Amino acid sequence: MMKTYQATFCAGSALTDLPSAQTIFGAICQILADTEGEAPLAEYLDSFQDQPLMVHSSLFPEDLFPMPKRSIFSLAFVNESVHSSNPRNKLQAMAGYKKYKKIRYVSRKILENYILPNRFEQLQKDLLANPERFTLLESGILRLSSETSDYRQKTVLQTRNGSRGTTTEKDLFYTKTIYPDPAQKFSLYIKSDWPRERIEDLLMKLEIFGLGSRRTVGMNVFTLLGLKEIRLQTTGELQYLLSDCVPDEAVDLDRSCYGLQSAVFRGSKSYNGGYFTGRYTYLTPGSLINSVNRKGWTGMLVRDESQGKTVWHYGMGFVF
């Protein structure tokens, strides 16, 4: 049985975004190809046809997890509650429920006590009966009042000059730059049969190779601080998704609660000339999926051919 790990990182630079599982997958493939050769890379890619050697999540703030794609308070419940309120309190009641629509992350205790056991109705009851037990931060984090989980960063919209193609004229464009708090840590979740030392070796090299765009100017650098084995898994019917996922036939979408997003992927300029390789619709992190196969992963690795090159898209879903 695959072991589950939590890798802890700190940011060594400014960021353009928190890396998705697809971005991390690309970096791992590059590390394997450049440091170990094509054979280990081929072995890693081939393993996804049956038993993956390693599956991973997207990167998240430490001990924070994406809000599940299921409303704490249903629209019918909110309408009935507001309708039965005193006319003078209707607006206040509506605002009280609306704030829960802004939740971006839930804390580890919320995950363990409510999300993984699929106790969503109990979370609703506890929020209504004992609101003092919970804290909802302005940053969109729901946690128990006894916890200190937070996500601290500063986002700046910067202007830059750039050239289009071969023209010498400069274009002005905007770019978002994230400056994490120096004390902020981040977590990546991994399931693997590889020895722990092998996983640590790969993750340590992410600091050198970088994650995502603008690595050449020193951005998107993450340093591994530690790797530990954890035991988190869903005990309810619905499994909790922590990466973008192209679902396979094992996922029963009719019995799942999920978010959908569609995106066009582009290959690396140094690999296939930067050509678009396809548009995919995938389930987003925080989705709650019902799968016939109760494994630590779901979904598939998607293969494309572009400009004579094979391009892989990481549609594997990491689940607890």
Side-chain angles (χ1 to χ4, degrees):
M1 185 176 179
M2 300 174 79
K3 293 182 179 180
T4 304
Y5 299 93
Q6 178 180 354
T8 302
F9 293 86
C10 67
S13 69
L15 313 174
T16 55
D17 206 351
L18 291 187
S20 67
Q22 164 69 25
T23 299
I24 296 167
F25 170 73
I28 290 173
C29 289
Q30 191 71 55
I31 291 171
L32 288 173
D34 288 356
T35 64
E36 299 183 24
E38 293 297 328
L41 173 60
E43 180 186 17
Y44 171 61
L45 294 174
D46 290 344
S47 72
F48 287 99
Q49 299 178 24
D50 182 26
Q51 174 75 21
L53 290 170
M54 183 177 75
V55 293
H56 61 270
S57 70
S58 297
L59 194 72
F60 301 102
E62 184 182 37
D63 288 336
L64 292 177
F65 304 85
M67 174 64 187
K69 304 302 182 184
R70 175 171 173 167
S71 298
I72 297 176
F73 301 102
S74 68
L75 183 59
F77 178 89
V78 172
N79 287 340
E80 181 180 352
S81 179
V82 172
H83 180 72
S84 61
S85 300
N86 184 296
R88 294 183 177 181
N89 297 331
K90 287 185 182 295
L91 188 60
Q92 182 179 357
M94 179 65 77
Y97 290 115
K98 187 177 181 180
K99 66 182 181 181
Y100 292 107
K101 301 290 288 184
K102 300 179 181 179
I103 300 175
R104 297 172 56 211
Y105 295 109
V106 295
S107 66
R108 193 182 190 93
K109 289 297 184 183
I110 298 290
L111 178 80
E112 294 174 344
N113 295 342
Y114 298 103
I115 309 304
L116 297 185
N118 289 183
R119 299 174 68 237
F120 305 103
E121 290 77 11
Q122 189 59 49
L123 175 58
Q124 179 191 98
K125 293 177 181 178
D126 289 350
L127 282 167
L128 293 173
N130 303 292
E132 70 282 353
R133 287 186 55 207
F134 301 87
T135 299
L136 179 55
L137 302 178
E138 288 293 329
S139 55
I141 295 171
L142 178 66
R143 68 188 190 194
L144 296 183
S145 298
S146 59
E147 295 180 283
T148 58
S149 306
D150 201 355
Y151 179 29
R152 301 174 296 275
Q153 67 171 34
K154 181 179 181 180
T155 303
V156 177
L157 191 63
Q158 297 180 330
T159 57
R160 296 178 59 210
N161 285 326
S163 300
R164 291 185 183 179
T166 58
T167 180
T168 57
E169 295 183 5
K170 296 289 186 179
D171 290 329
L172 183 66
F173 62 96
Y174 296 94
T175 180
K176 181 181 72 172
T177 302
I178 300 172
Y179 296 93
D181 185 286
Q184 181 66 55
K185 297 178 183 178
F186 301 90
S187 293
L188 176 70
Y189 301 93
I190 295 166
K191 292 178 187 288
S192 181
D193 285 328
W194 271 338
R196 177 172 175 161
E197 294 75 18
R198 172 134 171 81
I199 300 171
E200 285 181 321
D201 182 63
L202 275 175
L203 299 181
M204 288 174 62
K205 291 173 181 174
L206 289 176
E207 181 177 6
I208 301 171
F209 282 79
L211 286 167
S213 63
R214 302 185 65 189
R215 299 184 299 273
T216 56
V217 294
M219 296 187 68
N220 299 316
V221 175
F222 290 89
T223 301
L224 180 67
L225 298 178
L227 180 71
K228 64 179 180 181
E229 186 177 352
I230 60 173
R231 287 176 171 81
L232 285 176
Q233 64 178 7
T234 302
T235 56
E237 180 184 32
L238 298 175
Q239 293 182 290
Y240 179 64
L241 184 67
L242 284 178
S243 62
D244 296 328
C245 169
V246 178
D248 54 25
E249 66 278 359
V251 176
D252 186 348
L253 295 176
D254 291 335
R255 298 171 62 189
S256 302
C257 301
Y258 54 88
L260 287 176
Q261 189 167 330
S262 181
V264 176
F265 290 97
R266 184 197 296 268
S268 167
K269 288 185 178 180
S270 60
Y271 182 68
N272 75 333
Y275 283 89
F276 291 109
T277 59
R279 175 181 289 275
Y280 298 96
T281 299
Y282 48 86
L283 309 182
T284 56
S287 295
L288 302 160
I289 59 174
N290 186 296
S291 179
V292 175
N293 300 325
R294 300 286 292 188
K295 302 179 294 187
W297 72 91
T298 188
M300 64 186 76
L301 202 62
V302 182
R303 175 175 177 161
D304 275 316
E305 298 294 331
S306 176
Q307 306 301 307
K309 300 283 189 177
T310 300
V311 181
W312 298 93
H313 298 293
Y314 192 79
M316 300 297 297
F318 180 101
V319 294
F320 281 143

